[in-house]
Amino acid sequence: IEVTNVDDPRNDPDVDVTFYRSIDQFVLDSSANALPYNTYRIDQVNGVPRYGSKVKGAIKDGVLQTIPAAEVRLPFYGNYTLLDQNIKDMSLKLEIDPSGDRAKGMIVGYYDADQMWDYLSGLGFAATAQYSCPAFHTALYQLADGYPDKDGKCTALSSAWLINTVAAFADHSDNARVARNSGAQSASN
């Protein structure tokens, strides 16, 4: 998450917030906490960021709040799966620590039910996780509460993600692309 166009880090009525994916792993301390002020290279394809959804926001009394965006594309990496998360009506609220080192908050929006089902049905551990695929599928669509289709059936789930962040530098140079093309290991951040 990169915040730019900031005139005052505690109060600014007009900032830009862009969502990227880093090709670098988090730098951790001995307690496995992310360390602030490291540089992370932006994942690029042919010199263009793979992710780069930009939204408008404001900072008031140290709280960053974005304006709900029609759709934001975010990276997700978990359970050996890399996929795009397309969040509709997405907004972000971050409480920035007075030191500027850290922030915590929440991302909210609507997560597409078909997208959720594609991910969960591809995990392949229903037997060991002890859940029923048919029951899960039914519940997923019963709980959908947003974005009705032409027949009035909702297609998305209201969702929220708690997040913790640290201050960092985003490297937009061609070094990110060169590292990616050289076969360097990468991790989603």
Side-chain angles (χ1 to χ4, degrees), residues 14-142:
D14 184 24
V15 299
D16 296 314
V17 180
T18 310
F19 298 88
Y20 295 109
R21 177 180 179 265
S22 171
I23 61 172
D24 299 306
Q25 295 182 10
F26 288 121
V27 177
L28 305 176
D29 66 15
S30 61
S31 299
N33 297 310
L35 290 170
Y37 301 111
N38 287 288
T39 299
Y40 295 95
R41 295 169 295 164
I42 303 300
D43 184 5
Q44 300 180 38
V45 177
N46 297 322
V48 177
R50 184 180 305 268
Y51 296 89
S53 294
K54 183 182 274 191
V55 299
K56 297 300 284 180
I59 303 170
K60 184 175 180 183
D61 298 328
V63 177
L64 168 66
Q65 177 75 54
T66 64
I67 296 168
E71 185 166 294
V72 172
R73 189 169 151 253
L74 300 175
F76 172 79
Y77 180 77
N79 298 313
Y80 302 104
T81 303
L82 177 63
L83 58 92
D84 295 341
Q85 297 182 106
N86 296 304
I87 312 299
K88 296 176 181 176
D89 292 338
M90 195 230 71
S91 64
L92 165 72
K93 184 175 183 179
L94 282 178
E95 295 180 30
I96 304 166
D97 185 83
S99 69
D101 290 353
R102 302 178 183 282
K104 61 182 177 179
M106 184 178 293
I107 293 174
V108 298
Y110 285 92
Y111 197 95
D112 184 78
D114 288 340
Q115 181 178 301
M116 175 75 78
W117 178 247
D118 286 346
Y119 169 67
L120 292 171
S121 64
L123 290 176
F125 61 81
T128 58
Q130 298 181 357
Y131 70 83
S132 163
C133 287
F136 194 89
H137 183 270
T138 299
L140 180 66
Y141 291 95
Q142 284 177 343

